[in-house]
Amino acid sequence: MTTPRPPRKAFGRLSLPERNYVAEALRTETVGGVLLLVAAVAALVWANIPVLSDSYESVSHFHFGPEALGLNLSVAHWAADGLLAIFFFVAGIELKRELVAGDLKDPKAAALPVVAALCGMAVPAVVYTVTATAGGGSLSGWAVPTATDIAFALAVLAVIGTSLPSALRAFLLTLAVVDDLFAILIIAVFFTESIDFVALGGAVVGLVVFWLLLRKGVRGWYLYVPLGLAIWALMYNSGVHATIAGVAMGLMLRCHTREGESHSPGEHIEHLVRPLSAGLAVPLFALFSAGVALSGGALADVFTKPETLGVVLGLVVGKTLGIFGGTWLTARFTKASLSDDLQWADVFAVASLAGIGFTVSLLIGELAFEGDAAMTGQVKAAVLTGSLIAAALATVLLKIRNAKYRKMIEAEERDDDLSGVPDVYEEDDPAYHLRVAAIYEKKAAEHRRIADEMETARLAEVPGGAGDEGDGPA
């Protein structure tokens, strides 16, 4: 007779390798998110100070690059199509790792973040569509509020000083990875107007060569970097958004370890490239995308025009309800149940945090209203406004539970035996209990020694010396 398995806990404790990976990834993303915030603020200041605004436009629209290769692009264009390819390259590696070694490896465990991400994209699109239709606006921006910006979300956490438990942070990271995948599919399917099949075929050939080199175990950045640039250029000229090249190459990297390896090639390359993505590529994109002219009238228009109102409501209401609802439905109709340490209010708070849509939302906004500079600027203002409201709402909700989070973090980090591994991961190891027993025996011996010394000192203070019990003073 087999013992029935306990019900699977949603947001339960991560395995130690997964916990360490998430911690390392989030440290880099948090630093990058702070730089992203700084870049966004700098862009707004640069674009809204009268004596500087003209220079912002001049720099953003300055063209450079080889015209013969079809790459004479503006600075803003290079940032959106070029630098973001690095961002999506890292996203591709993250997704591949999740599929072969992370939460998405197990279909049952993958159901929760995948359903939550899908609902978190579908509901904002529906909210935008309903709002735009009711107001007689354009439906072109339906995809703008569907994306979550993980770096911006983690930067908000860093600024407000809130420490989410590792399980919730991992959920947010996995959710964003799945979100990025579907966002790039949306860009590829809905924002590709015409295709140059010769250039696309060249890009595919390049990807095949890239895969064969990886398959054969060939090493050398001097091979892969030029090849990657060629694939990117061909993808750009094909009419398919160039960031697709980044995510495709990321997905091809091997993310499982072989005998004798401490890290897979994918993890090694991600470790090298992630700081470049989070610390340079994404902040520079923000610098040349977030610089929209803001005024009292422009901010008021965000809440009066159907397109911009749809973006704000999609991010703030649609994202929160979509992710929370998808998570609840998964737990309701599967065997997954919420961890005993968490409440549904925690899931709602994280869902509201996912309403911070910045990097990819700005990119989709540019693509959705390409050729309409006025509407593009208004949609960008709506993305900034919606993200700010979502950040404020999440801050309030997370602060309410912050004391509970601190206790959970302390329990996760406790290392009484000083082994370098948190105690919660060693409770089934007899050696751990022997180490703890030795530590407590040492402490007990020390306390006995102190007690004996104190007792000896007390007896020495008795007038005329110490006597047996019942003896009077001398």
Side-chain angles (χ1 to χ4, degrees):
M1 181 176 179
T2 59
T3 304
R5 288 185 177 183
R8 189 163 47 86
K9 295 291 185 181
F11 308 106
R13 185 187 307 146
L14 302 176
S15 65
L16 184 60
E18 186 72 7
R19 171 188 175 276
N20 292 338
Y21 169 81
V22 169
E24 175 64 26
L26 294 183
R27 272 193 293 269
T28 305
E29 291 290 358
T30 300
V31 174
V34 173
L35 294 176
L36 178 61
L37 283 172
V38 172
V41 172
L44 290 171
V45 171
W46 191 0
N48 286 277
I49 294 179
V51 295
L52 298 176
S53 58
D54 289 342
S55 66
Y56 181 83
E57 290 295 322
S58 298
V59 173
S60 296
H61 294 97
F62 177 77
H63 281 65
F64 68 97
E67 179 69 42
L69 299 178
L71 296 175
N72 185 27
L73 310 178
S74 68
V75 170
H77 209 161
W78 275 110
D81 281 12
L83 292 177
L84 276 195
I86 301 174
F87 168 79
F88 279 108
F89 175 70
V90 174
I93 300 175
E94 289 176 339
L95 178 62
K96 180 66 173 291
R97 188 200 163 277
E98 289 292 333
L99 288 170
V100 301
D103 286 344
L104 301 184
K105 181 180 180 181
D106 178 6
K108 293 182 179 178
L112 186 67
V114 169
V115 172
L118 284 173
C119 293
M121 300 185 81
V123 176
V126 170
V127 169
Y128 176 93
T129 301
V130 171
T131 304
T133 302
S138 171
L139 299 182
S140 299
W142 64 269
V144 175
T146 60
T148 293
D149 193 310
I150 183 63
F152 216 144
L154 293 173
V156 170
L157 288 178
V159 171
I160 66 178
T162 300
S163 296
L164 278 176
S166 59
L168 281 176
R169 293 165 72 87
F171 173 72
L172 184 60
L173 182 62
T174 305
L175 185 77
V177 170
V178 178
D179 189 287
D180 286 340
L181 171 66
F182 287 114
I184 204 70
L185 289 176
I186 287 174
I187 292 172
V189 173
F190 295 99
F191 297 102
T192 299
E193 296 181 356
S194 60
I195 297 179
D196 183 333
F197 287 99
V198 174
L200 182 60
V204 172
V205 170
L207 288 171
V208 171
V209 173
F210 187 85
W211 179 80
L212 287 173
L213 290 174
L214 292 173
R215 183 88 172 180
K216 297 295 184 180
V218 177
R219 297 186 178 185
W221 63 268
Y222 47 84
L223 291 175
Y224 289 103
V225 171
L227 179 59
L229 290 174
I231 294 170
W232 173 86
L234 287 166
M235 190 70 74
Y236 174 82
N237 281 287
S238 74
V240 178
H241 200 271
T243 52
I244 302 293
V247 74
M249 287 185 282
L251 285 169
M252 289 182 180
L253 290 172
R254 177 168 60 82
C255 290
H256 61 273
T257 57
R258 292 175 178 171
E259 187 176 353
E261 291 181 339
S262 57
H263 299 287
S264 67
E267 289 176 311
H268 176 67
I269 293 174
E270 181 187 1
H271 180 74
L272 295 175
V273 179
R274 184 188 287 276
L276 177 63
S277 170
L280 181 66
V282 175
L284 280 178
F285 167 76
L287 182 64
F288 293 107
S289 291
V292 294
L294 299 178
S295 64
L299 292 176
D301 287 344
V302 167
F303 298 97
T304 57
K305 291 190 174 182
E307 296 90 349
T308 52
L309 180 61
V311 170
V312 173
L313 291 179
L315 288 171
V316 178
V317 179
K319 271 288 183 183
T320 304
L321 294 182
I323 292 173
F324 179 82
T327 306
W328 184 86
L329 287 172
T330 305
R332 173 68 178 81
F333 293 105
T334 68
K335 294 182 179 180
S337 61
L338 195 65
S339 172
D340 295 334
D341 294 326
L342 298 172
Q343 298 178 5
W344 282 108
D346 300 310
V347 182
F348 190 86
V350 173
S352 66
L353 188 65
I356 301 175
F358 190 77
T359 305
V360 182
S361 289
L362 290 176
L363 175 62
I364 294 177
E366 292 179 353
L367 297 173
F369 296 100
E370 190 174 7
D372 189 344
M375 181 57 71
T376 299
Q378 291 167 357
V379 167
K380 286 183 178 181
V383 170
L384 295 173
T385 303
S387 297
L388 183 61
I389 295 173
L393 175 62
T395 298
V396 173
L397 295 175
L398 292 170
K399 280 291 186 182
I400 294 173
R401 293 277 291 167
N402 204 35
K404 177 70 173 179
Y405 295 149
R406 281 198 298 268
K407 291 180 181 178
M408 293 177 66
I409 289 292
E410 288 171 3
E412 288 182 357
E413 299 295 332
R414 188 173 178 177
D415 184 18
D416 284 343
D417 65 336
L418 305 178
S419 66
V421 177
D423 294 340
V424 292
Y425 293 100
E426 297 186 299
E427 292 173 347
D428 295 331
D429 183 3
Y432 158 74
H433 294 283
L434 291 175
R435 288 194 298 270
V436 173
I439 291 171
Y440 280 112
E441 286 168 1
K442 184 177 179 180
K443 289 181 178 179
E446 180 66 13
H447 284 295
R448 291 191 191 97
R449 184 188 63 78
I450 295 172
D452 289 342
E453 290 178 355
M454 294 175 65
E455 182 67 13
T456 301
R458 185 184 67 80
L459 293 175
E461 293 176 357
V462 176
D468 294 332
E469 184 178 356
D471 290 346

